[in-house]
Amino acid sequence: MASDDGTPPVRALVSRIMTSGDNHARPFLIVDKVAARVFAFDASGKLRDTSPALLGAARGDVPPAGIGTRTLAQIGPADRITQAGRFEAHMGRDLHEDVLWIDYDSGLSLHRVVTTSRSEHRLTRLATPTTDDNRVSFGCINVPRIFYETVVAPLFRPADGTVYILPEQKSVAATFPTLTDAMDKAG
């Protein structure tokens, strides 16, 4: 179990989620794109674990229109964005194995790190202390196999949950307006 409870934006978002009940008593993940980390929480908001992650090669918070209908060969470098936002997530399958579908229509999922292209050095990138080399995917979120199988799958397999992906260009308030509104009304 990791003791890292997150960056200030992660801690603030957890507080908003738990105060508002936005997770609907279900497990949730927070993806901090700037820190290139995934934080996994159970339904009560308890941090279960955290892991480094590989993210879309391009920076940005909004995916290009129609990205989910393109083949990987049709997704250029500038379009490889891990979108920001709040998503109802569920376990499912892609063409090869089980994945956590974050936004099926745009093809966004969280899955075990893909190691088919040795030239990308994805496992090495996950192991480095810097986040500069964690931008390599087509937009999906890649995590170590052990984190996926011992944390993500057990949290989401019995029930759906929510995934919150923090922005790197937009504001948190613009990305999660209902959570900001809930905090304003509670305060």
Side-chain angles (χ1 to χ4, degrees):
M1 169 78 69
S3 62
D4 179 8
D5 66 349
T7 59
V10 168
R11 289 192 301 272
L13 187 56
V14 170
S15 176
R16 290 176 182 175
I17 292 166
M18 297 315 297
T19 299
S20 67
D22 190 72
N23 67 321
H24 303 287
R26 297 179 307 177
F28 61 98
L29 302 177
I30 297 178
V31 179
D32 185 335
K33 293 196 296 180
V34 173
R37 290 198 75 78
V38 175
F39 298 85
F41 299 87
D42 65 17
S44 70
K46 179 180 178 189
L47 178 66
R48 294 315 231 171
D49 209 347
T50 182
S51 173
L54 300 178
L55 305 164
R59 300 208 183 268
D61 295 320
V62 179
I67 193 75
T69 62
R70 299 183 199 175
T71 65
L72 290 180
Q74 295 172 319
I75 302 173
D79 294 338
R80 297 175 184 176
I81 295 169
T82 300
Q83 65 197 71
R86 179 193 184 282
F87 305 92
E88 296 295 326
H90 63 277
M91 296 297 293
R93 292 194 63 78
D94 67 5
L95 297 175
H96 309 288
E97 62 186 350
D98 62 311
V99 300
L100 179 66
W101 282 111
I102 297 171
D103 185 16
Y104 186 83
D105 291 341
S106 67
L108 178 61
S109 67
L110 181 143
H111 53 75
R112 299 164 189 89
V113 65
V114 175
T115 59
T116 52
S117 177
R118 291 180 187 235
S119 66
E120 291 178 340
H121 306 285
R122 289 187 181 209
L123 291 173
T124 301
R125 290 169 183 260
L126 276 173
T128 64
T130 179
T131 60
D132 295 340
D133 59 354
N134 289 51
R135 305 307 289 255
V136 66
S137 82
F138 280 80
C140 286
I141 302 158
N142 288 213
V143 295
R145 177 174 294 281
I146 191 78
F147 181 76
Y148 180 87
E149 292 176 357
T150 64
V151 179
V152 175
L155 280 172
F156 284 81
R157 193 164 280 128
D160 293 344
T162 308
V163 175
Y164 303 87
I165 303 176
L166 287 166
E168 57 190 337
Q169 294 177 335
K170 295 170 40 178
S171 72
V172 172
T175 304
F176 306 109
T178 58
L179 289 173
T180 304
D181 292 344
M183 289 305 292
D184 291 341
K185 291 174 185 170

